[in-house]
Amino acid sequence: MKKKLPLLMPGCEKFQSYRFPKTNQQARWDYPLRMCRWLAEESARRVKDSRRHFRWKFLRGDCHSHTHHSDGIGTVAETAAMVKSAGLDFQFVTDHWGVTQAPECKRHGVWFGQEPVTKLHHMGILGLNHAFAPKMDFLVDVAEAKRLGATVFVPHPTGWWPVTAYNAEQKKILEKLPDPFLMEICNGANNIVTAWDYTDDSAVKLWDHLLSMGRVVHAMGNTDAHAPHAIGIVWNGVFAPRCEQKTILAVLSKGRSFVSNGPLIHIAMGRAQMGERAGESDRRNPLKMTVVDSRGLTRVRVVADGRVVGTWHLEDAAKFERALRIPKSARRYVRVEVRSRDGARGYSNPVYF
Ligand SMILES: [Zn+2]
Ligand SMILES: [Zn+2]
């Protein structure tokens, strides 16, 4: 007779999760959230280490997220806890269809906005304390929200991951939007570890297209988190003197910010800094750039009028400083983009010509 061999080492039954469905049920929610919190804490440490090599003061924050006040799965409290882990200075909770989350946001120290759906696009609306009712005409609705004093941004301008791809009409109407305006070049919807995916590549392409037309379009990077897990996977580094909502919105609206999930970027040409226009005397100067990532930089690229005009491949440098003459033939803008060793990315806002 053949001896039956054991399937489990003796005495190990008590370690098998499936034998304890009740505790396992709880862990199935808690453990992934804890893993994401560790990632958020790691990203906070990374930026803290980087700041030692970066002389400009900036605040970090995300302008787009959801809770169960619309179609998100988390609460405002869970969002706020994650914001703390990620070391973000500010977070807007922008639920769809209104601002019923506002009292909870006030209690938990985060800000609120909203994201109604209008014809062709969603609308990111910040700094408005009541529900906005769209008339289902994109250009009219944006103008009305601005008239009410709101800061408006275009979320996921080419669609969102994994399968929503906007059509030509949806992209084309952005050419008619009065500039300057704010537009996401990174949207982390449905992403959980890193925000970057091919929809962001197409958003960056559209951004270059609009900038090459001479439009002033300031970039934003937001998580669009529908689960608290994703808070912190991308953020805006805002060169604002203090963390007060009005100030942050004013500085973002001027494009004095960069988009990142790791690297820090500062660029200037003469007296013109990112988001500003370089006058004739500024253009006599080279573009001065400073890029920092304590976890190691691997590539820095300078883009002018949609063309790459400078590339450096680095071996995990923590800091990169360079001055580059931008060809006179560039007539619209220059911007800088960066990759880090672990794939993290950063995008400066442009200096406009
Ligand atoms: Zn949306
Ligand atoms: Zn959203």
Side-chain angles (χ1 to χ4, degrees), residues 196-260:
W196 305 100
D197 57 61
Y198 65 85
T199 66
D200 305 302
D201 294 337
S202 68
V204 170
K205 214 172 138 195
L206 175 61
W207 186 38
D208 275 324
H209 168 74
L210 293 166
L211 294 173
S212 296
M213 289 174 70
R215 314 305 306 279
V216 175
V217 182
H218 305 316
M220 277 179 137
N222 297 321
T223 65
D224 199 0
H226 283 67
H229 305 63
I231 296 292
I233 62 172
V234 69
W235 38 269
N236 301 284
V238 188
F239 296 103
R242 61 190 167 274
C243 197
E244 190 252 332
Q245 190 177 146
K246 267 213 169 93
T247 308
I248 294 286
L249 291 180
V251 176
L252 276 168
S253 299
K254 286 183 188 149
R256 298 276 302 118
S257 61
F258 58 95
V259 173
S260 180

Side-chain angles (χ1 to χ4, degrees), residues 177-189:
L177 198 59
D179 64 348
F181 66 88
L182 288 162
M183 183 177 94
E184 286 180 350
I185 59 155
C186 180
N187 173 281

Side-chain angles (χ1 to χ4, degrees), residues 64 66 96 115-117 122-123 155-156 160 166 187 224 226:
H64 186 175
H66 300 271
H96 297 293
E115 192 195 11
V117 177
H122 297 185
M123 284 170 74
H156 43 70
W160 65 88
Y166 282 176
N187 173 281
D224 199 0
H226 283 67

Side-chain angles (χ1 to χ4, degrees), residues 148-168:
L148 292 169
T151 299
V152 182
F153 67 89
V154 180
H156 43 70
T158 62
W160 65 88
W161 196 77
V163 290
T164 307
Y166 282 176
N167 61 28

